[in-house]
Structures are given as C-alpha cells and as structure tokens.
Amino acid sequence: MKHSIKHLIASVAVGVGIASAPLAQAEEPLKVGFVYVGPIGDHGWSYQHDQGRLSIEKHFGDKVETTYVESVPEGADAERVIRNLAKAGNDLIFTTSFGYMNPTIKVAKQFPKVKFEHATGYKTSKNAGNYLSKTFEGRYVAGFVAAKKTKTNKIGYIASFPIPEVIRDINTVQLALNKYNPEAEMKIVWVNSWFDPGKEADAANVMMDQGVDVILQHTDSPAAMQAAERRGKFAVGQASDMSSFGPNAHLMSVVDEWGPLYIKRVQEVMDGTWKPESYWGGMAEGDIVVPEINNVSDEVKAEGNQIIADITSGKFFPWTGPIKNQKGEVMVAAGERMPIKDLLGINWYVEGVQGDIPK
C-alpha cells in the first residue's frame, strides 16, 4: 500500500500480514519513502521513478508500505522533506535528483538506522549509497539516429543544469554526430529547470525557428516532443517512452527502468544484506532501454538496433578513444576506454560541441 503526500511528512498506513501460525503477530511492513523533483505526472524522470515505486508494491505486496513526496525543490525544502520521511519511520529512502545529494548525506548522519539511496550523485556514507543509469548509452543511439535523420544538419538539445550527467550526455550525442554526420551542428539551450513545460516548448520552438529538425532533451516533460509533432519535426524522448505524445515526431526514447534495482535494494534491506555502494547500470543490466526506433528507414533502424546490441554485449563502448576536447587536445587515447571515474565527474566538452559550459 502507499500514501501520496504532496508536502506531508508521515506515512500512517499499517500493512496486514498473514500469520504463519494461529495467533502469530503479523510483521510490520518495510516502509520505503521516495522524494521526487517533479510531479509524478511529468511523463518523464519523476514519472519513471514512480513506476519503479509501483513495481515494489506489485512485487512485495503487503510486505512493504511506500510513501512519496513530489515536486520537491532542490535545497532547503529537500532536506526538510527527507528528514520528515526519516522521522515518519521509513526504513529505506530514495532521493531522486542530483540536488538532493548533500541534504541526503546530512540527514543520513542524523538517522543512522535508516538506509538512504541517492540518484545521480557521487557521495556515500555508512548508511547512504548512490545509483545512476548510463543514460549516455541511450544518448549515443539517439545521436546516431539524429545524425541519420536530419535534413538540415541542425540538431537541438534542451539541457537542464550543467551537472556531469547532462554534460556527459551532450558530449555523447556529439561523439555520435562526429562519427555518423560530421556536418551536423548541435544547438544547446539551457532552461535551468528539470520540469517546466513552457520553457521546454519555447526552447524547442526557438531552435526549430533556427532550422533545427531533430530535438533531444535532458528535461522531463513531453513538451518538446509535442512541439515537434505540431511542426512536422522530430524528437527523442527522455526517461520514459514518449511516443504517444508525438507519433509522427518520435524517433526513439531513452527509458530509465528503475523497477529491478528498487526491488533488489528493498530485498537487501529485508534480508539484512544492504550495503552502501555506488551503482551505475545501463543497457546490459536492463536499466536503460530503447523500446523501439521509429520514423526512420529500415536500414537506419537495423543499424541502430545493432549499436544497442553491441553496447549491451560490451562489444562497443561509446567513450572509446581517440576523443579530443574542444581545444583539440587528446583526452582519451585511441583504443582506450574513458575510465568510469572520469566519466562520472566530466566537466568539459568534446570536440565539435559549440559554446561554453555555463558557470
């Protein structure tokens, strides 16, 4: 069972267990809390995390009780909400945005018996781990599809905040463009928001006015997909399958599947085997999925699916050298793979990306 509490602090439901013997006391359900940066109806990042929460309920039934708090700003509000979830008796708390990292670590120190999992960050503690999906694997496929689909050689990218995850994915798209269509130029618009349909639509329209005919995004609403559909252009979905918002515009979506990881972490807490760790899963683990490539030729679809297969099997790694930065300096030597630790903290653009990283 679950409670949806917009900005509330406690979960009050009591799970009902089935006694293994007459008159035996039912075990209390494991309480699991979630903090979302956007509304669960964003049809993107927060929606997909909530699908993971629902998968926990489906898998464990009355053995768990889940609570979520949506649309929590990154900052003081996040710390207060996380602390309130801990006070309410949650045994495991997932905080699902980069800006929740420091508040999560701070609250974790105050509640040493509670387990915490933070998405997209890099800090851990005795009772706080972190997790991330290799969205860059999906972005490489998106870059390939965009490179093949564009007629104007102008690709748009709606970016949220200049954190390593976003910089890494912009770079990965450019790596694909460099290989499959060196004439293509990527225009980046920073909207400084994870979820703002108005800003996202405006950014998409501005870029299309400038000749962009394929739009990618690192924001959470389907507004860009809808704008592309209205204007006969093309787009790539973020976090969830956005094909229904633009059947004619949709090329593919980079989908985060959080359910298997969430079920695994809950089971570990139940079994007493949970340990704080830094987890990064991708296509091989089933955490990043491209459901289908649409509105392209059979040849492009087949090549895109082969790239997916090669990434999944480990045969191909998108960040394999030679890779240069904007100054033309070699950052990854030919044949070498960029170390994970360097990818996690990347703060520079690859060769071909126009403009500077915002400060």
Side-chain angles (χ1 to χ4, degrees), residues 227-303:
E229 178 80 4
R230 287 192 295 269
R231 297 183 60 169
K233 308 303 182 183
F234 301 95
V236 173
Q238 147 86 353
S240 68
D241 185 349
M242 294 185 173
S243 58
S244 63
F245 295 96
N248 299 304
H250 182 261
L251 296 177
M252 56 169 277
S253 290
V254 181
V255 177
D256 296 296
E257 290 289 357
W258 300 111
L261 176 63
Y262 285 173
I263 290 170
K264 183 174 185 291
R265 289 291 180 263
V266 169
Q267 188 66 60
E268 289 171 350
V269 173
M270 288 180 171
D271 295 341
T273 60
W274 182 94
K275 295 179 180 180
E277 63 179 28
S278 294
Y279 173 83
W280 204 6
M283 290 183 175
E285 295 80 11
D287 298 331
I288 290 294
V289 177
V290 177
E292 188 176 7
I293 299 174
N294 304 302
N295 296 312
V296 297
S297 68
D298 290 342
E299 181 181 1
V300 170
K301 181 181 291 188
E303 191 170 358

Side-chain angles (χ1 to χ4, degrees), residues 18-40:
I18 300 176
S20 58
L23 303 179
Q25 174 130 13
E27 291 185 7
E28 287 291 321
L30 186 80
K31 294 183 178 181
V32 186
F34 291 81
V35 186
Y36 303 142
V37 72
I40 61 171

Side-chain angles (χ1 to χ4, degrees), residues 6-22:
K6 176 85 175 183
H7 284 291
L8 198 51
I9 56 177
S11 173
V12 297
V14 177
V16 179
I18 300 176
S20 58

Side-chain angles (χ1 to χ4, degrees), residues 49-160:
H49 279 284
D50 200 59
Q51 293 301 298
R53 179 188 65 83
L54 293 174
S55 72
I56 290 174
E57 292 189 343
K58 182 177 180 180
H59 183 83
F60 291 102
D62 287 343
K63 293 180 180 179
V64 298
E65 175 186 308
T66 72
T67 301
Y68 69 87
V69 188
E70 59 185 333
S71 300
V72 179
E74 297 171 315
D77 283 349
E79 182 179 330
R80 183 172 62 254
V81 169
I82 296 166
R83 183 178 293 107
N84 286 338
L85 285 171
K87 287 181 178 178
N90 283 283
D91 305 288
L92 173 63
I93 299 173
F94 292 94
T95 61
T96 63
S97 192
F98 183 81
Y100 298 160
M101 179 173 63
N102 289 332
T104 299
I105 295 298
K106 183 176 180 179
V107 176
K109 291 179 180 178
Q110 299 167 352
F111 294 86
K113 293 183 179 181
V114 179
K115 310 295 190 298
F116 295 83
E117 290 278 352
H118 173 248
T120 75
Y122 53 85
K123 294 183 179 180
T124 61
S125 70
K126 292 181 178 179
N127 60 322
N130 59 55
Y131 61 103
L132 182 62
S133 58
K134 296 178 182 177
T135 51
F136 71 88
E137 295 180 343
R139 300 285 186 213
Y140 189 87
V141 182
F144 159 76
V145 173
K148 295 295 185 179
K149 187 65 178 181
T150 182
K151 300 299 183 185
T152 64
N153 284 334
K154 293 183 179 181
I155 310 299
Y157 199 107
I158 303 173
S160 49

